[in-house]
Amino acid sequence: MAKRQLILEDGTVFIGTSFGSERTQSGEVVFNTGMTGYQEVITDPSYCGQMVTMTYPLVGNYGINRDDFETITPFINGFIVKEVSTSPSNFRNEESLDHFLKAHDIPGISGIDTRKLTKIIRKYGTMKAMIADMDQSAEDIAAKLKHTSFPTDQVSRTSTVKPYVVPGRGMRVVMVDFGAKHGILRELTKRDCHITVVPYNYSAENILRLKPDGIMLTNGPGDPKDVPEAIKMIKQVIGNIPIFGICLGHQLLALANGADTEKLKFGHRGANHPVKDIHTNKTYLTSQNHSYAVSEASLKGTGLELTQVALNDSTVEGIRHTLYPAFSVQYHPEASPGPEDTNYLFDEFLNMMKENLTKKEVEVYA
């Protein structure tokens, strides 16, 4: 295995060993604290344009299987680990992590002191970096990274291009795809929903034409303010149709109602983040992956109320509209990877849709 280097924009250099693709690649370095679930992490579209560091020291030991994909095409720019297993052992294993990354032209680097890298990110925040060959100048790359602006089109890159239907005989849900994980589809189909998946820029007029019982705003990558089309659409449909937002969808719901979002220092990425429901006083373990959060102070006067908070840093984890059937959470109730403590939120969404239909029937016959 060839030696390669990971260069941070602050000039820090890590020397490691190449696996996966050998191409030179840059991206925003983030860290994930999950002990397992690397296949789901790599295939989560919310990591589009980022280079993911796994804090758990051994990765790849159970290989890659056909069941744990969260999207068909992975969008991460690089994978950084302490040690990569070259001989995976699991009854579901079909190929090695190295082989999978090569097939998708994603560079990986192992032998890195991931503890040191994580501590740098926690202290100074996420930063740009590049995986490069040893003969490339680290000083020149660091200087170039400081003046590099990464694209803001991550949602358009990860969203579906055309609408498609996942048939069911239950509630009719329009799922707006901002870079959706398959786990969301799995939870809705498990409840027999009839799902129409539409692109991120689908208009409110076209969504209303589909006569949905509810709208699902999915997860996705990047800054929510880079998706003004979605904010406009949500403003036009809220109050007419029940809405459930997850992750990026949660942030877009907040922006559409006049609240604000802010970028976190190093974000939340991992499988066991504690979240407290302030109404029931219950605490749930959640799966998270986000760089941005809703500003709690900005909720005042928007019609939105705070429902859940992160116990690690008190950031907003859940909101609900006080007048309209609309709610959202910052974490991933569909998990994958992570605990499924909050799967019940999909049932709450179904109940919200049923209550709204009953209300409309009462109004018709009144």
Side-chain angles (χ1 to χ4, degrees):
M1 291 279 189
K3 290 290 183 182
R4 300 202 84 191
Q5 54 184 337
L6 173 71
I7 302 118
L8 306 186
E9 65 177 295
D10 68 354
T12 303
V13 179
F14 293 87
I15 305 298
T17 304
S18 172
F19 72 101
S21 170
E22 294 183 357
R23 72 180 176 124
T24 297
Q25 180 66 288
S26 60
E28 182 184 44
V29 178
V30 298
F31 65 87
N32 184 293
T33 58
M35 294 176 66
T36 62
Y38 55 81
Q39 181 174 335
E40 295 95 317
V41 168
I42 292 170
T43 58
D44 181 349
S46 294
Y47 284 110
C48 178
Q50 295 179 327
M51 303 171 77
V52 183
T53 303
M54 298 301 290
T55 61
Y56 192 70
L58 177 63
V59 177
N61 53 311
Y62 54 87
I64 300 290
N65 64 73
R66 70 173 189 173
D67 300 321
D68 292 337
F69 290 104
E70 284 302 316
T71 189
I72 295 172
T73 305
F75 293 95
I76 67 167
N77 280 16
F79 203 50
I80 304 163
V81 302
K82 171 64 177 174
E83 180 183 353
V84 61
S85 173
T86 56
S87 302
S89 177
N90 185 274
F91 72 98
R92 294 194 302 162
N93 173 49
E94 294 177 324
E95 65 177 325
S96 69
L97 175 58
D98 175 54
H99 186 270
F100 177 76
L101 293 184
K102 278 186 170 73
H104 291 279
D105 200 22
I106 298 169
I109 187 167
S110 65
I112 293 293
D113 185 346
T114 50
R115 178 179 172 84
K116 179 181 178 181
L117 177 56
T118 300
K119 290 178 74 174
I120 290 173
I121 296 171
R122 284 184 59 87
K123 185 175 181 179
Y124 300 106
T126 54
M127 61 180 74
K128 292 167 282 188
M130 181 179 287
I131 296 175
D133 295 330
M134 293 300 296
D135 59 358
Q136 295 178 268
S137 169
E139 293 79 7
D140 291 347
I141 290 173
K144 183 179 179 181
L145 286 170
K146 288 181 180 179
H147 302 287
T148 299
S149 296
F150 288 120
T152 58
D153 63 345
Q154 293 99 320
V155 168
S156 65
R157 288 167 56 193
T158 56
S159 175
T160 184
V161 177
K162 294 181 179 180
Y164 64 91
V165 171
V166 181
R169 294 189 178 277
M171 290 291 166
R172 303 181 71 86
V173 176
V174 166
M175 188 170 111
V176 187
D177 178 11
F178 300 113
K181 292 170 60 184
H182 288 171
I184 297 175
L185 276 174
R186 181 189 63 242
E187 292 302 327
L188 291 174
T189 54
K190 187 189 296 184
R191 291 160 175 81
D192 202 28
C193 292
H194 178 92
I195 309 157
T196 304
V197 183
V198 301
Y200 76 99
N201 56 358
Y202 216 58
S203 70
E205 180 184 1
N206 286 334
I207 288 176
L208 293 172
R209 196 181 299 277
L210 294 171
K211 307 295 183 184
D213 299 318
I215 297 174
M216 167 64 70
L217 306 175
T218 76
N219 66 289
D223 186 341
K225 294 175 182 176
D226 290 333
V227 200
E229 308 95 327
I231 297 170
K232 178 182 177 182
M233 177 273 291
I234 296 167
K235 287 180 179 179
Q236 294 173 331
V237 300
I238 192 167
N240 296 315
I241 305 169
I243 296 174
F244 178 22
I246 293 174
C247 202
L248 182 66
H250 157 81
Q251 297 160 10
L252 290 168
L253 178 65
L255 289 173
N257 283 279
D260 196 12
T261 56
E262 55 194 2
K263 188 169 186 179
L264 299 174
K265 187 175 181 179
F266 49 82
H268 298 168
R269 295 173 185 86
N272 287 293
H273 287 252
V275 167
K276 181 180 180 180
D277 187 305
I278 61 176
H279 296 299
T280 65
N281 215 32
K282 290 183 178 180
T283 297
Y284 302 96
L285 290 180
T286 67
S287 175
Q288 302 205 9
N289 174 19
H290 60 100
S291 296
Y292 293 81
V294 175
S295 167
E296 182 178 353
S298 72
L299 293 176
K300 187 176 181 180
T302 63
L304 299 171
E305 65 174 358
L306 179 70
T307 58
Q308 296 181 334
V309 295
L311 290 182
N312 287 340
D313 60 8
S314 300
T315 52
V316 175
E317 291 289 344
I319 56 175
R320 181 181 294 272
H321 204 287
T322 57
L323 297 177
Y324 307 132
F327 74 102
S328 62
V329 291
Q330 181 61 78
Y331 52 85
H332 290 266
E334 81 284 358
S336 298
E340 299 181 353
D341 293 23
T342 54
N343 265 183
Y344 72 90
L345 292 173
F346 289 96
D347 296 319
E348 285 196 2
F349 183 40
L350 257 67
N351 291 334
M352 179 181 283
M353 288 188 281
K354 292 174 183 176
E355 289 172 6
N356 191 62
L357 285 175
T358 302
K359 180 181 176 182
K360 285 185 176 180
E361 290 175 358
V362 169
E363 289 174 350
V364 167
Y365 292 105

